[in-house]
Amino acid sequence: APEIIDLRMRCLQRRRAELQEAVDVLTAVDPERVARAVTLASSLPSPSQCNDVETLRAEQPPPEDPAVASEVEALYDRLARVRSLNAAAAYEMALAEAEAVTERAEQLGYMPLLASALDWRGSQRSSNGKYAEAQADLERAHLLAVELGDDRLAVRTASQLVEVVGHLR
C-alpha cells in the first residue's frame, strides 16, 4: 500500500542518514575515537526495523508544512550525528549538537522531535556529568513520549532516568 511504502521509505532514509553520520564522525574524529568504530557501528539501528509496519504506523506523521517537515528531517539527521558522536565518546561535541537541535526543536514546536531532542540532550548531559540538567531533560522527554504514545521512547527515557537519578543520590 502507498501509505506503508511512504512509512518504510521515511524509516530507511533515517537509517541511511544515521549511517552517513556514523561514517562522517569516524572520518572526522581523532584516532583514539576511531578505535570505537565497532561500538559506533553496533549502535546503529537495524534497517530491518523498517519492516515493522505496526511500529511505523505508531509514529507521529511529519508536519504538514513541507518546509517545516524538511527542517524536522534535517534535525533528525543531526540527532543521528549526536548518536554517532556519543558512540565515538565525543561527549562534549555530542552535547553541543544536542543542545542546538533541542533549541531549534523548541522553536518549531513539533513535539515528537522535541521529545527525541530532549532525550538525547539529557543523555549527553549525563555523559558530561550534568546530572540535574539531565534529569530535567529526561523527565520532560518522558512525559512527552507518554503523551505522544511513543512507548519505545518512554521506556528509554525511564531507563535513563533510573541511571541519572542514581548518580544524583
Side-chain angles (χ1 to χ4, degrees):
E3 171 208 4
I4 294 171
I5 291 171
D6 288 345
L7 291 171
R8 284 185 173 152
M9 290 305 296
R10 189 166 16 136
C11 178
L12 289 170
Q13 287 170 348
R14 282 201 184 143
R15 297 301 172 265
R16 183 182 66 201
E18 289 164 344
L19 178 60
Q20 183 61 56
E21 290 299 335
V23 169
D24 290 349
V25 164
L26 286 174
T27 59
V29 297
D30 60 67
E32 180 182 312
R33 292 195 177 113
V34 172
R36 295 187 53 106
V38 172
T39 302
L40 177 59
S42 66
S43 75
L44 292 170
S46 171
S48 66
Q49 293 176 351
C50 298
N51 290 326
D52 185 350
V53 176
E54 185 177 321
T55 300
L56 294 175
R57 281 190 170 143
E59 288 184 15
Q60 298 292 320
E64 290 185 23
D65 181 334
V68 174
S70 178
E71 185 172 2
V72 163
E73 282 307 311
L75 290 168
Y76 275 120
D77 291 351
R78 289 178 68 185
L79 287 178
R81 181 168 181 75
V82 171
R83 175 196 308 266
S84 294
L85 289 166
N86 180 67
Y91 302 122
E92 289 178 15
M93 291 168 43
L95 176 57
E97 187 73 6
E99 287 174 339
V101 172
T102 303
E103 185 177 306
R104 184 63 185 136
E106 288 269 13
Q107 294 167 354
L108 286 174
Y110 180 66
M111 292 302 121
L113 172 64
L114 180 58
S116 292
L118 286 164
D119 170 45
W120 278 105
R121 185 174 73 180
S123 175
Q124 296 318 300
R125 284 178 166 175
S126 176
S127 294
N128 283 276
K130 299 177 179 186
Y131 301 116
E133 295 97 334
Q135 180 179 354
D137 281 345
L138 292 169
E139 285 174 349
R140 188 167 172 217
H142 181 75
L143 291 173
L144 282 171
V146 170
E147 185 178 309
L148 294 166
D150 187 338
D151 295 338
R152 196 171 8 186
L153 184 58
V155 168
R156 177 180 150 88
T157 53
S159 174
Q160 288 183 91
L161 275 166
V162 168
E163 183 179 331
V164 168
V165 171
H167 282 291
L168 289 173
R169 308 240 185 250

